[in-house]
Amino acid sequence: DVASRELQDRLPVKADWFKQYQQSATEQVKGQLWSHWLPKCVDVFRRLPPVPINGDTEAYFRAVTTLQSNQLRGLVAASLADYLAFFRKHQAVQQLDLQQDSCMWSCKPAFEVELVAIQGAAKGWHLA
């Protein structure tokens, strides 16, 4: 969840930590879907048994499937919108600080990068 306060407070983070954090968030959402959303869907059918129009049970369940699919698709679309907003705010800024020796940034960096140079690698230097 890139919009969470926990992630925002830890920035910048290493890519491996970010990957693990996102995998954990994904598992939490899956768990919530299985433990909350799906049981609520089942409960609706228990409380309000389906009454298909004109006895067309297949059409009724296709409509229910479409509704559930749209709900899940909306969840994915909202998550992607959060990712897009998170990475869009990390655009490069072509402006130098007052001493003219380093670039200014519009926000805290997202990732911490470690540069390891190995002399003697192809073309003089190798980034590991």
Side-chain angles (χ1 to χ4, degrees):
D1 179 17
V2 292
S4 74
R5 174 62 42 205
E6 179 186 358
L7 176 63
Q8 298 299 319
D9 289 345
R10 289 188 67 133
L11 292 179
V13 297
K14 293 191 182 240
D16 287 341
W17 185 91
F18 182 80
K19 179 181 176 184
Q20 290 174 351
Y21 180 77
Q22 292 307 304
Q23 287 172 335
S24 174
T26 299
E27 290 303 316
Q28 286 178 354
V29 170
K30 284 187 343 189
Q32 289 173 356
L33 287 171
W34 282 107
S35 64
H36 297 290
W37 180 74
L38 189 59
K40 285 182 180 182
C41 292
V42 170
D43 190 48
V44 168
F45 287 107
R46 282 192 191 125
R47 289 185 292 112
L48 304 166
V51 181
I53 298 173
N54 299 329
D56 191 354
T57 307
E58 281 188 38
Y60 174 80
F61 284 107
R62 279 194 310 269
V64 169
T65 301
T66 300
L67 175 62
Q68 290 176 321
S69 178
N70 287 341
Q71 289 174 339
L72 293 173
R73 189 174 291 122
L75 183 64
V76 170
S79 178
L80 289 174
D82 285 346
Y83 269 100
L84 186 60
F86 176 75
F87 287 110
R88 271 202 174 139
K89 70 181 179 182
H90 293 92
Q91 297 291 327
V93 177
Q94 300 300 322
Q95 184 178 357
L96 297 176
D97 67 1
L98 295 175
Q99 285 79 27
Q100 302 289 309
D101 62 356
S102 62
C103 286
M104 298 180 69
W105 301 97
S106 59
C107 61
K108 286 170 64 173
F111 296 110
E112 183 179 303
V113 179
E114 183 177 331
L115 178 65
V116 178
I118 301 171
Q119 190 173 9
K123 297 185 182 177
W125 294 94
H126 172 73
L127 302 179

